[in-house]
Amino acid sequence: MPAPQRRRARAVRQGLASLAVAPLLLALAACGQGGNEVDLEVTGTGSAQPTDGPTSSPSDPTGSASPSATGDAQTTLETSARPKVVGTVATGLEVPWGLAFLPDGDAIVTERDSTRVVRVSPEGDVTELGTVAIAEPGVEAGLLGVTPSPDFASDRLLYLYVSTAEDNRVVRADLEGDRLGPVEPVLTGIPRGAIHDGGRLLFGPDGYLYVSTGEAGEPPRAQDRDDLGGKILRITPDGEPAPGNPFDSPVWSWGHRNVQGLAFDDRGRLWASEFGDSTWDELNLIEAGANYGWPAVEGRPEGGAGGDFVDPQVQWSTDEASPSGLAFTGDHLYLAALRGERLWRVPVTGDGAGKARSFFVGDHGRMRTVAVAPDGMLWVTTSNRDGRGDPRPDDDQILLVRP
């Protein structure tokens, strides 16, 4: 697999039926976590009723290229098909953060602030499974990511990323019927802050658990390899450093500000979406042991100031992204944007990332998480009740999107 270029310096029912027939204030502003379609040239290495309207931006009806996004793919790729919101899976949720599918097609969803864990069926039935008592919500902290064990059919284990009063931690619990059992710690001691808590969980093709963390608002943590903050971690299901890790620790990659999206492509490569500070948000191709530069560098700098870091494959201005969830299907990555209030689509090849295009700009507000359902559809959550959005009567929602 090609190594990333290095830089010097710094539904529901109605929707499914239609388918069948066809410090802190500045930090908070920067995190900004602030349908229509926008195209960005990248170069280098729903509602209860189907949405049928146009997806081009009123301010940019032609979908022209923006100079603010740059990448590292050797080719520029074009895709004419447009994602479409075809229904709404669920409404009335409270800051849904984590979303992962079970073998039976139902999804497990976590609510950041209420600390509820719910099961959502493809038909839109929402069942509360329990709450996580040790979770201590606050600003960006709370009950965050979730993923089932790779052996869920036999062990019935759910893994959760939880902000407690003392730290962020990975825990697991049995799911028996419709009840969540007591949580058991898997990995503790991840720095917790009011901001930059990371929180995404994903089991890789290798069977190990990948964990995204933030630097908890303390940038130097990202450059301290002995600190779990500002990292992507790789651990066994029991919380030990996975065999083959580069530093004989849980750390897989470092120099991150706040990673909230993880996805593997069909070549087995790990991608991560990362919040920038005030200039550039990033989409990174993750390499074991690599340093992604924060806080020495944000995005791709001009010139150089010493040090070896890895360039982002794509970068966006913070007002058009503030990326959270990430998913891969059909040779494309889909990235949910909070402040940008849109869904980004980025094609990938063996050389890296291609042309980024955005959809649904401002149509549904802040978008938090995107996941690929067993039937190939996308489930996309809104995050308008997180204290930074403008809630609508049915918020928060899970939108059903045809990719």
Side-chain angles (χ1 to χ4, degrees):
M1 97 183 36
Q5 181 183 12
R6 296 192 175 275
R7 63 185 174 211
R8 298 297 300 176
R10 312 182 35 194
V12 187
R13 293 181 175 85
Q14 185 168 357
L16 291 173
S18 68
L19 287 177
V21 298
L24 188 57
L25 291 179
L26 288 176
L28 291 175
C31 293
Q33 304 176 340
N36 301 315
E37 175 183 328
V38 177
D39 288 3
L40 297 179
E41 294 292 341
V42 181
T43 61
T45 66
S47 66
Q49 296 182 354
T51 300
D52 293 310
T55 57
S56 59
S57 169
S59 60
D60 185 16
T62 62
S64 61
S66 165
S68 63
T70 58
D72 292 309
Q74 290 294 336
T75 57
T76 297
L77 304 179
E78 301 267 356
T79 301
S80 59
R82 297 175 177 178
K84 181 178 179 182
V85 176
V86 296
T88 303
V89 179
T91 62
L93 300 173
E94 185 177 349
V95 196
W97 207 101
L99 191 160
F101 286 93
L102 299 177
D104 66 2
D106 286 357
I108 299 296
V109 177
T110 58
E111 292 183 331
R112 188 191 70 186
D113 296 350
S114 73
T115 76
R116 288 199 314 162
V117 180
V118 301
R119 182 202 297 264
V120 181
S121 74
E123 294 74 35
D125 299 319
V126 178
T127 304
E128 181 174 331
L129 304 177
T131 59
V132 179
I134 62 171
E136 291 282 345
V139 190
E140 295 176 11
L143 180 58
L144 303 179
V146 63
T147 189
S149 161
D151 300 317
F152 179 82
S154 58
D155 64 26
R156 307 294 296 177
L157 287 175
L158 293 177
Y159 287 75
L160 303 155
Y161 189 103
V162 183
S163 304
T164 74
E166 296 82 25
D167 63 0
N168 285 308
R169 59 182 58 181
V170 179
V171 302
R172 63 187 177 191
D174 290 316
L175 180 62
E176 292 299 336
D178 286 334
R179 297 308 303 168
L180 187 70
V183 298
E184 170 193 6
V186 173
L187 180 66
T188 62
I190 301 169
R192 177 238 160 92
I195 58 173
H196 306 176
D197 289 285
R200 201 64 65 178
L201 300 177
L202 180 66
F203 275 99
D206 54 11
Y208 297 119
L209 180 61
Y210 292 76
V211 182
S212 77
T213 75
E215 32 81 315
E218 301 176 36
R221 289 184 181 274
Q223 288 298 315
D224 181 353
R225 282 210 322 242
D226 295 326
D227 193 295
L228 297 182
K231 310 293 189 297
I232 294 174
L233 311 177
R234 178 176 175 260
I235 59 176
T236 70
D238 294 324
E240 298 298 322
N245 280 7
F247 308 119
D248 195 28
S249 77
V251 173
W252 186 247
S253 63
W254 53 309
H256 299 289
R257 184 171 182 266
N258 190 23
V259 172
Q260 286 193 4
L262 297 173
F264 282 92
D265 66 20
D266 57 1
R267 295 173 176 84
R269 300 175 299 181
L270 178 62
W271 296 80
S273 56
E274 180 166 349
F275 285 94
D277 182 14
S278 57
T279 308
W280 297 114
D281 294 323
E282 300 180 359
L283 174 67
N284 284 300
L285 181 56
I286 302 302
E287 182 182 69
N291 186 342
Y292 289 80
W294 178 255
V297 65
E298 178 184 359
R300 182 183 303 104
E302 297 181 4
D308 286 327
F309 306 121
V310 177
D311 272 337
Q313 289 283 312
V314 183
Q315 61 184 27
W316 294 269
S317 66
T318 54
D319 61 350
E320 58 188 0
S322 291
S324 187
L326 188 67
F328 176 84
T329 186
D331 296 325
H332 292 83
L333 289 162
Y334 291 85
L335 183 150
L338 290 161
R339 186 177 177 186
E341 297 190 351
R342 65 196 74 185
L343 182 69
W344 285 101
R345 183 179 67 190
V346 183
V348 296
T349 70
D351 294 323
K355 177 182 179 180
R357 299 178 69 181
S358 70
F359 302 87
F360 320 132
V361 180
D363 290 349
H364 306 282
R366 294 160 62 80
M367 291 183 162
R368 169 76 65 179
T369 295
V370 54
V372 182
D375 63 1
M377 300 293 285
L378 300 178
W379 287 23
V380 181
T381 70
T382 67
S383 194
N384 294 317
R385 297 176 64 183
D386 64 5
R388 292 170 176 163
D390 184 13
R392 308 171 190 200
D394 290 335
D395 280 333
D396 276 314
Q397 306 178 48
I398 301 175
L399 305 173
L400 184 66
V401 176
R402 184 184 66 204

